[in-house]
Amino acid sequence: MRGRKILLAAAACIALTGCQGRTGEEEKSSIRIGISLYRGDDTFINNIRWELEEKAKEYERRRGIKVTLDIQDAKGSQSTQNNQVERFVSLGCDVLCINPVDRMDASLIIDRAMTAGVPVVFFNRQPVEEDMNRWDRLYYIGVDARETAVLQGKIVVDLYQNRPEAVDLDGDGVVSYVLLEGESSHQDSLIRTEWSIQTLKDGGVPIEKITGGIANWERSQASALTEQWLSEYPDTIELVVSNNDDMALGAIDAMDRAGAEGINVVGIDGTIPGLEALENKKLLGTVSANKENYAGAMMELAAACALGEDLPAAYPLTDGTYYWVPQEILTLDQGESRDFKEN
Ligand code: GAL
């Protein structure tokens, strides 16, 4: 499939290292980027959005090119997002950055972009490979979900290896855990769950699952679930493994309400509220995608596409299509010397 894509690109005389702008265009002094967020109230997505706005200002100053970001909230509706794409195209956007509502259903967006000749940088919610292979001007920026999960598992493995009593709280040789999962159709939920747990097993943590549930990345849903679990299984839960920071914070809210202490909670994202919980010793650790790098890749790749320039060498693409953002473990020891707000 990839080979076919390259052949098509070559046949169309498009340089493999470049992202060609629309043909016959004069040198541009301004670019317009149409951005659609799957949900504007998602904490992690908002963190990326703020960084992107900063990167756009920095790009303008550095390159002397005016950058207009047209940011829309799809509010969890794929049809709203499809309409936003339609509007972006009619407004003459040079490139689109799309955080798809339904990652399995990016085909209408791709059809519209291909017809209009507008490249698309998808991010965070990965369209299926079949869709990504339809055109050589489709890109994806995100984190490698398996890497995230292995790093999350490592936070607990490291603590268990150094101080088993800090994880196996009742000292019975078993670490009883509950699992909070994100949306069931999201690539990150499935892969994170599988590999976090596998990493705990591989690292020799004697885990036993009490229960788990889907809280759709949301703090309030996770809080309700955890509240229920704490009353169903009193004095039993020793570890909460959460697919993201917001749900981890929801679990912490419920633990605070119930007066449950000492339970270890691990998250993912390194959001601003997540880092505050880390500082307050409520969260054992999190795995943070480098937001500056994430937004930098989006800005530079989108701008190169809009201007028909070579793709940015600082953000090398896998298979000419995917950029994987670097990530790191944050625990209090590593975190103490950091200025979290700038992360
Ligand atoms: C995940 C992130 C979640 C949520 C989700 C939205 O990668 O960890 O917190 O933002 O993306 O697609």
Side-chain angles (χ1 to χ4, degrees):
M1 209 52 192
R2 174 64 46 194
R4 209 189 90 210
K5 196 164 156 181
I6 292 172
L7 275 179
L8 280 174
C13 300
I14 292 170
L16 289 177
T17 52
C19 186
Q20 301 297 299
R22 283 183 251 181
T23 46
E25 255 170 352
E26 295 302 311
E27 211 163 278
K28 282 174 155 296
S29 58
S30 67
I31 54 179
R32 176 182 278 269
I33 307 177
I35 301 165
S36 172
L37 310 178
Y38 93 106
R39 275 177 61 163
D41 60 358
D42 179 293
T43 311
F44 176 69
I45 296 298
N46 259 307
N47 283 192
I48 300 292
R49 174 201 175 139
W50 297 328
E51 285 290 346
L52 183 63
E53 285 169 339
E54 290 308 309
K55 287 287 168 194
K57 286 182 210 148
E58 187 195 286
Y59 187 91
E60 280 191 331
R61 284 195 294 272
R62 182 163 34 91
R63 294 285 307 265
I65 290 173
K66 185 170 163 35
V67 178
T68 303
L69 302 182
D70 188 344
I71 304 181
Q72 299 294 325
D73 177 1
K75 299 198 163 97
S77 157
Q78 189 56 63
S79 71
T80 301
Q81 186 163 65
N82 293 345
N83 292 337
Q84 289 168 349
V85 166
E86 192 58 51
R87 185 178 149 274
F88 289 151
V89 169
S90 65
L91 282 173
C93 284
D94 302 289
V95 58
L96 307 181
C97 289
I98 306 293
N99 176 215
V101 174
D102 183 351
R103 70 182 195 94
M104 315 279 201
D105 192 14
S107 51
L108 281 178
I109 295 174
I110 295 174
D111 287 344
R112 193 63 195 97
M114 285 174 78
T115 317
V118 181
V120 187
V121 178
F122 290 102
F123 64 100
N124 168 258
R125 300 162 73 88
Q126 189 178 344
V128 294
E129 205 181 339
E130 204 183 329
D131 278 337
M132 290 303 292
N133 284 337
R134 285 181 56 202
W135 195 28
D136 65 332
R137 296 167 82 188
L138 303 175
Y139 302 91
Y140 177 74
I141 295 178
V143 291
D144 179 303
R146 179 171 160 175
E147 180 186 79
T148 318
V150 170
L151 292 173
Q152 185 187 45
K154 209 172 163 302
I155 296 171
V156 180
V157 170
D158 284 354
L159 182 61
Y160 186 77
Q161 284 173 354
N162 290 324
R163 285 195 303 128
E165 71 284 0
V167 185
D168 177 9
L169 303 174
D170 60 7
D172 67 349
V174 172
V175 176
S176 305
Y177 75 96
V178 294
L179 187 71
L180 286 164
E181 297 188 67
E183 290 163 281
S184 57
S185 59
H186 198 301
Q187 81 279 350
D188 286 344
S189 312
L190 311 170
I191 303 171
R192 285 177 187 177
T193 297
E194 180 186 349
W195 285 96
S196 287
I197 300 310
Q198 190 58 46
T199 305
L200 294 177
K201 288 183 187 155
D202 293 348
V205 183
I207 47 168
E208 187 173 86
K209 183 174 174 182
I210 302 175
T211 186
I214 295 172
N216 296 306
W217 311 120
E218 283 188 33
R219 184 167 180 158
S220 58
Q221 290 188 32
S223 169
L225 277 180
T226 310
E227 184 172 301
Q228 189 188 319
W229 297 339
L230 285 168
S231 74
E232 267 174 46
Y233 309 98
D235 301 323
T236 312
I237 304 169
E238 294 169 305
L239 172 68
V240 178
V241 178
S242 172
N243 280 173
N244 79 341
D245 282 355
D246 261 11
M247 295 189 296
L249 293 170
I252 292 167
D253 293 340
M255 282 156 39
D256 284 349
R257 283 198 303 276
E261 283 177 0
I263 301 173
N264 286 303
V265 183
V266 279
I268 286 174
D269 281 345
T271 59
I272 291 168
L275 296 174
E276 276 162 10
L278 193 65
E279 268 184 321
N280 296 333
K281 304 193 175 163
K282 297 270 185 186
L283 190 66
L284 173 65
T286 185
V287 180
S288 176
N290 184 322
K291 319 278 180 317
E292 206 194 324
N293 186 283
Y294 205 127
M298 285 176 68
M299 184 60 229
E300 296 293 329
L301 182 55
C305 288
L307 297 167
E309 292 178 348
D310 283 351
L311 298 181
Y315 303 98
L317 301 181
T318 303
D319 292 338
T321 303
Y322 298 91
Y323 179 70
W324 302 114
V325 179
Q327 25 188 0
E328 62 180 336
I329 287 177
L330 294 181
T331 57
L332 198 55
D333 289 341
Q334 289 144 310
E336 267 163 351
S337 59
R338 296 174 63 96
D339 178 358
F340 293 139
K341 303 280 179 320
E342 283 181 4
N343 182 46

